[in-house]
């Protein structure tokens, strides 16, 4: 198995978990937060997808799906165009409201397809390419991709946990 195959599998698992976390949730459940300072399922999935979109696009010299495919306009969140959710206050988290889970899964699927396209073209030596010199040591493509995988898995796990809390509270 090649490294790119492992990465493709990892990002595929994120997509599966995103769909599972959102399946059957309505707008109220998507935006509900257990306490005012917490994140919602909608925010968690939006954020993990924005991070993947932003970081993969930057690392591969691609346009962000969020902007290039019009997702920013479809969501209409009233946030800055390049916002990924890092450091969001509770007030900004509350801005991430969607009419249905389909909007979130549609955006995630579009980002997933761009990610897969970039990964399929990878050669092993590409993973050693420096993509961010602001860190010491500088960040390679391989490290950046594992970082995105880690961040996305943490956030989709939080979304799944929150989904379980919401469903048990409603029962």
């Amino acid at each position: 198995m090649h490294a790119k195959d492992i990465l493709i599998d990892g990002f595929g698992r994120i997509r599966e978990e995103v769909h599972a976390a959102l399946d059957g949730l309505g707008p109220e459940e998507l935006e509900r937060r257990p306490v005012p300072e917490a994140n919602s399922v909608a925010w968690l999935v939006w954020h993990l997808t924005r991070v993947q979109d932003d970081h993969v696009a930057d690392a591969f010299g691609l346009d962000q799906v969020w902007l290039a495919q019009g997702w920013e306009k479809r969501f209409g969140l009233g946030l800055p165009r390049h916002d990924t959710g890092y450091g969001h206050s509770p007030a900004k988290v509350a801005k991430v409201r969607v009419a249905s889970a389909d909007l979130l899964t549609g955006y995630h699927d579009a980002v997933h397809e761009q990610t897969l396209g970039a990964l399929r073209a990878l050669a092993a030596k590409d993973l050693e390419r420096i993509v961010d010199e602001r860190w010491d040591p500088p960040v390679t493509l391989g490290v950046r991709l594992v970082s995105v995988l880690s961040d996305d898995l943490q956030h989709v796990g939080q979304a799944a946990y929150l989904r379980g809390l919401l469903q048990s509270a409603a029962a």
Side-chain angles (χ1 to χ4, degrees), residues 6-89:
I6 294 168
L7 291 166
I8 288 168
D9 181 74
F11 281 101
R13 290 172 191 240
I14 292 166
R15 182 183 174 277
E16 289 171 14
E17 295 303 325
V18 161
H19 279 260
L22 296 173
D23 185 44
L25 295 182
E28 284 185 18
E29 295 161 308
L30 290 167
E31 68 185 55
R32 189 171 302 138
R33 300 185 285 174
V35 296
E37 296 79 26
N39 298 320
S40 65
V41 171
W43 184 89
L44 287 161
V45 172
W46 171 82
H47 169 66
L48 76 85
T49 307
R50 286 294 297 124
V51 168
Q52 183 177 332
D53 190 6
D54 175 77
H55 287 29
V56 170
D58 182 61
F60 286 93
L62 303 168
D63 292 330
Q64 288 185 29
V65 170
W66 180 247
L67 302 170
Q69 294 183 17
W71 290 98
E72 175 209 10
K73 288 184 174 81
R74 284 183 241 181
F75 274 76
L77 301 178
L79 295 168
R81 289 174 45 96
H82 292 280
D83 197 335
T84 62
Y86 277 125
H88 267 189
S89 66

Side-chain angles (χ1 to χ4, degrees), residues 71-165:
W71 290 98
E72 175 209 10
K73 288 184 174 81
R74 284 183 241 181
F75 274 76
L77 301 178
L79 295 168
R81 289 174 45 96
H82 292 280
D83 197 335
T84 62
Y86 277 125
H88 267 189
S89 66
K92 283 190 175 180
V93 169
K95 287 186 168 204
V96 180
R97 300 173 68 143
V98 296
S100 78
D102 292 343
L103 187 63
L104 290 161
T105 56
Y107 174 48
H108 187 81
D109 288 350
V111 170
H112 180 71
E113 286 306 313
Q114 177 158 291
T115 300
L116 288 186
L119 293 175
R120 286 183 184 121
L122 272 181
K125 65 180 173 152
D126 295 333
L127 295 172
E128 298 173 22
R129 178 172 56 85
I130 302 297
V131 296
D132 192 344
E133 294 186 4
R134 295 174 294 173
W135 299 92
D136 184 21
V139 178
T140 63
L141 178 59
V143 168
R144 177 58 45 88
L145 291 170
V146 169
S147 175
V148 172
L149 274 169
S150 173
D151 188 67
D152 281 3
L153 286 168
Q154 290 179 60
H155 284 91
V156 78
Q158 292 169 5
Y161 177 73
L162 182 51
R163 173 193 174 94
L165 285 176

